[in-house]
Amino acid sequence: MNKKVCIIGAGPSGLVTIKELAKNNLSIKCFEKSNDIGGVFRTIENDGRSYDSLKLTVSNYFMAYSDFMPQLKENRRYWDVKEYRKYLLEYVEKNNLSKHIYTSHEVVSAFRKDNQVIVTIVNGQRRFNETFDHLVICSGSNFEAKIPNWKNRHLFQGKILHSSCYKNAREFAGKNVLCIGLGESGADIVHEISQVASCNLLIRDYPNVIPRWINSFTNDAYTSHCFYAMKQNGINYFMKIKAWYYLNLSRKLNKEEKLIQKWTLHRKGFMEKFFTKSDIFISDIIEHRINLIKSEVATFTSSGILTKDGQKVEAEIIICNTGYTTNFEHFSFGNSFVNPRKLFKQMIHPDYGSLISLIGWARPTQGGLPACSEIQARYLSQLISGEKHLPPYGQLSKTIDKDKIYYEKLFKQSKDINSLVSYHDFMIDMADLIGCNPKLFYWKDLSLTKKLFFGSHLPSFYRLTSPNTNKAAIDTIKSLPIAYSPRRAIFIILLILIFNPLSYLTNLFPLITQKKISFTLIKRNLPI
């Protein structure tokens, strides 16, 4: 009898999970509470999180799945949300996923019984139970809006909104608006509101801004293996030296770029805070359309807020760009899964194994979430099919603790985002588990070697070691130009030699070291 798998959510994570699990002749049902696929990329009216003007902050080659990349003729660019929804629909059609998806079906409760999971589903007036051998939750970490319980919030006589409700700036025209917090969607929202309203922006710390375009390349074009081979200290030095150079020696720096570089130079560590991959709001600060206030809320008043440093900020509308929280209160096992830092690779609890798992709670600070969800789904597919087995319980717990310590230290300025991971480290770790880490050095194809080391760290990298080499993956990798100039590449190599010399030499001189060349040799502090 085929195993029965329940998948919750038909967003990008749910769709790729269906596709990967369907390879194993499983009985799959994906329940989606909305009437359409897409998750957060649905419109606001359709229970999504996509405002009208949304452009993705990750390029098309990083938002795509590794086996369904853009056509080679398509330049690297940022899709708008309509283009991305079209891409997801094409993915569903290509892989015949619709037969597994039950829209307008909401899973309202679930509990474990013996070695199965019983879920309760509501479809209109119909309520029923169904038993499954595996439950995969792919509803995502961006659905439960979080608004802090600030002191005296109830006194405010204006309107308080969460950024998840934002559609466009029309309703804010002519108003006095206060935006609290600044994420990537918040950067777009505050920019749009500042064009039509009096706009204050309150932030606790200056954002870690990466411009969408750098030297005519999308910012993720610089997400390369050589960049991360510098390791955290090397990257921090590189970014500070670059900022100092631009501020003191460059004659081409405009006011917007100068402000970004000032924030970078004065930050303790570049890697320690979530990247805001949009600079659209910077010109509004320079031109005084946005009044930037670096402080925190002390208390609300009837007409606005009072900050901790004593500033009084008046507002008719307050928009909270304050993130999201995970809530599994309707699931009997929910408390075990609330914090993905306590799960193996952000997905599996040692007490439940592959019986219950999360996919989509690995949010990369740079690089695409769909790629991280895809590689999680590939691993889960191996576990459920029996091709792979989880490490022993004790080893699982040790790995969870080690990863938790690593990421809390790496992102110590963004500790409240428990889903945050390093794209580079996470993809390599998962590929190790799956067995799909590619070689770094190809003697017979030096052009591919060059792109693997200096080019973008694409999801396609993890389709190079399938039973038959995936020519489409090679073509994609080779098709994209390298963003680094020769001068910058040389500087990066020098920093690698300083901060990670043994790994670098091992990878570039395999005949001397007689080691197998793989990405795993340049990650963290693993012994060679």
Side-chain angles (χ1 to χ4, degrees):
M1 182 177 178
N2 292 344
K3 291 181 179 179
K4 293 179 63 180
V5 181
C6 173
I7 297 172
I8 301 177
S13 298
L15 296 178
V16 75
T17 301
I18 299 170
K19 184 257 181 183
E20 292 297 331
L21 295 186
K23 297 175 182 177
N24 296 321
N25 197 29
L26 303 169
S27 176
I28 300 169
K29 289 187 177 182
C30 175
F31 298 113
E32 169 55 59
K33 70 176 182 178
S34 179
N35 62 5
D36 199 2
I37 68 162
V40 296
F41 296 101
R42 295 191 299 265
T43 62
I44 298 294
E45 296 89 343
N46 200 19
D47 198 30
R49 297 288 181 262
S50 298
Y51 42 94
D52 293 348
S53 62
L54 175 62
K55 271 189 178 291
L56 306 186
T57 58
V58 177
S59 78
N60 48 350
Y61 281 88
F62 276 87
M63 283 299 289
Y65 301 115
S66 65
D67 59 353
F68 193 52
M69 297 298 281
Q71 297 293 318
L72 295 183
K73 62 183 179 182
E74 183 173 350
N75 291 331
R76 184 158 40 195
R77 63 189 182 87
Y78 296 102
W79 281 330
D80 64 37
V81 70
K82 291 181 181 178
E83 290 177 299
Y84 190 58
R85 283 198 292 260
K86 181 175 180 288
Y87 169 84
L88 293 177
L89 287 170
E90 290 173 351
Y91 183 76
V92 169
E93 183 178 355
K94 175 181 182 288
N95 295 290
N96 194 22
L97 304 184
S98 294
K99 63 183 179 181
H100 302 290
I101 301 172
Y102 296 78
T103 56
S104 301
H105 283 68
E106 182 178 6
V107 175
V108 295
S109 69
F111 65 92
R112 176 181 185 174
K113 185 177 181 181
D114 298 325
N115 204 33
Q116 291 181 309
V117 181
I118 299 175
V119 301
T120 302
I121 303 111
V122 172
N123 170 229
Q125 300 301 313
R126 182 176 170 232
R127 185 184 182 98
F128 61 98
N129 294 335
E130 197 162 344
T131 302
F132 293 91
D133 300 298
H134 299 273
L135 172 64
V136 191
I137 304 173
C138 303
S139 52
S141 58
N142 278 12
F143 265 94
E144 185 90 9
K146 179 176 66 177
I147 297 180
N149 188 24
W150 287 298
K151 183 179 178 182
N152 292 325
R153 197 177 82 186
H154 65 283
L155 296 178
F156 182 60
Q157 295 179 3
K159 186 185 293 186
I160 299 177
L161 303 173
H162 190 271
S163 57
S164 59
C165 301
Y166 180 82
K167 178 174 170 59
N168 55 54
R170 289 179 198 141
E171 69 172 292
F172 305 97
K175 303 290 186 180
N176 189 6
V177 182
L178 168 63
C179 297
I180 301 178
L182 184 75
E184 289 179 336
S185 60
D188 288 342
I189 291 170
V190 73
H191 163 70
E192 291 188 6
I193 290 175
S194 71
Q195 309 306 301
V196 299
S198 172
C199 186
N200 288 293
L201 171 61
L202 179 69
I203 56 174
R204 288 183 297 183
D205 189 19
Y206 294 121
N208 204 6
V209 176
I210 300 178
R212 283 180 181 268
W213 296 93
I214 304 173
N215 299 325
S216 300
F217 289 93
T218 59
N219 56 42
D220 50 29
Y222 295 87
T223 303
S224 63
H225 192 71
C226 67
F227 182 78
Y228 285 100
M230 292 188 291
K231 301 175 69 172
Q232 184 175 358
N233 286 339
I235 292 171
N236 288 339
Y237 276 107
F238 174 80
M239 296 305 295
K240 282 186 176 293
I241 291 170
K242 182 166 78 79
W244 182 90
Y245 171 82
Y246 280 136
L247 289 170
N248 292 279
L249 301 179
S250 175
R251 297 179 181 178
K252 299 179 181 180
L253 210 63
N254 60 37
K255 292 180 180 180
E256 289 79 9
E257 292 170 329
K258 189 173 183 179
L259 182 58
I260 292 172
Q261 296 303 331
K262 278 184 176 179
W263 288 346
T264 299
L265 187 61
H266 289 96
R267 184 171 301 288
K268 289 183 179 180
F270 178 75
M271 294 293 293
E272 295 169 2
K273 186 176 177 65
F274 179 74
F275 298 162
T276 299
K277 299 179 287 293
S278 175
D279 56 342
I280 193 169
F281 68 102
I282 298 293
S283 62
D284 301 310
I285 295 174
I286 298 295
E287 294 169 16
H288 305 293
R289 286 187 294 269
I290 294 175
N291 177 37
L292 185 64
I293 305 167
K294 184 175 178 290
S295 188
E296 295 185 59
V297 175
T299 183
F300 271 62
T301 67
S302 61
S303 59
I305 67 163
L306 190 66
T307 67
K308 288 189 175 179
D309 59 358
Q311 296 184 63
K312 186 177 181 180
V313 185
E314 305 244 330
E316 296 170 82
I317 303 175
I318 294 177
I319 300 181
C320 304
N321 187 58
T322 45
Y324 298 83
T325 185
T326 297
N327 187 348
F328 295 135
E329 63 182 13
H330 299 303
F331 300 157
S332 64
F333 48 80
N335 288 338
S336 299
F337 288 84
V338 168
N339 185 356
R341 288 275 185 256
K342 296 182 179 179
L343 306 178
F344 179 63
K345 302 308 173 187
Q346 307 280 121
M347 63 184 293
I348 290 172
H349 193 284
D351 292 340
Y352 293 88
S354 62
L355 176 68
I356 300 168
S357 52
L358 305 185
I359 288 183
W361 272 261
R363 178 186 179 188
T365 186
Q366 179 80 325
L369 185 143
C372 292
S373 294
E374 179 185 32
I375 207 161
Q376 285 182 314
R378 290 174 67 182
Y379 181 54
L380 182 63
S381 176
Q382 291 180 328
L383 293 176
I384 291 177
S385 68
E387 182 183 345
K388 298 279 187 180
H389 300 281
L390 284 170
Y393 188 95
Q395 186 177 337
L396 272 181
S397 298
K398 287 181 180 178
T399 302
I400 291 168
D401 290 341
K402 180 180 177 183
D403 286 349
K404 184 174 182 290
I405 292 169
Y406 175 75
Y407 280 126
E408 286 181 350
K409 181 180 178 182
L410 181 64
F411 300 123
K412 60 186 178 183
Q413 294 183 46
S414 295
K415 283 186 177 180
D416 55 331
I417 310 177
N418 291 321
S419 58
L420 201 58
V421 298
S422 160
Y423 172 83
H424 184 76
D425 288 336
F426 187 80
M427 295 294 285
I428 290 172
D429 284 351
M430 293 303 301
D432 274 348
L433 293 170
I434 293 170
C436 65
N437 250 324
K439 294 189 297 181
L440 178 63
F441 202 97
Y442 289 81
W443 282 109
K444 295 182 180 180
D445 195 340
L446 294 181
S447 63
L448 177 60
T449 297
K450 179 181 176 182
K451 291 296 177 73
L452 287 172
F453 193 68
F454 290 105
S456 306
H457 184 170
L458 297 169
S460 300
F461 284 16
Y462 302 98
R463 293 291 181 181
L464 293 179
T465 56
S466 55
N468 299 304
T469 302
N470 189 324
K471 186 176 184 302
I474 294 176
D475 291 343
T476 297
I477 294 167
K478 285 186 171 183
S479 71
L480 296 181
I482 291 171
Y484 294 105
S485 65
R487 182 176 62 181
R488 185 171 293 186
I490 291 170
F491 183 53
I492 287 175
I493 289 173
L494 290 175
L495 287 176
I496 294 171
L497 289 170
I498 294 170
F499 291 102
N500 200 9
L502 189 56
S503 294
Y504 178 74
L505 292 172
T506 301
N507 277 274
L508 288 191
F509 300 101
L511 296 182
I512 296 174
T513 60
Q514 296 298 309
K515 293 284 184 181
K516 179 183 177 181
I517 313 308
S518 96
F519 281 155
T520 59
L521 299 178
I522 296 188
K523 63 178 182 176
R524 302 187 194 170
N525 291 311
L526 294 183
I528 296 175

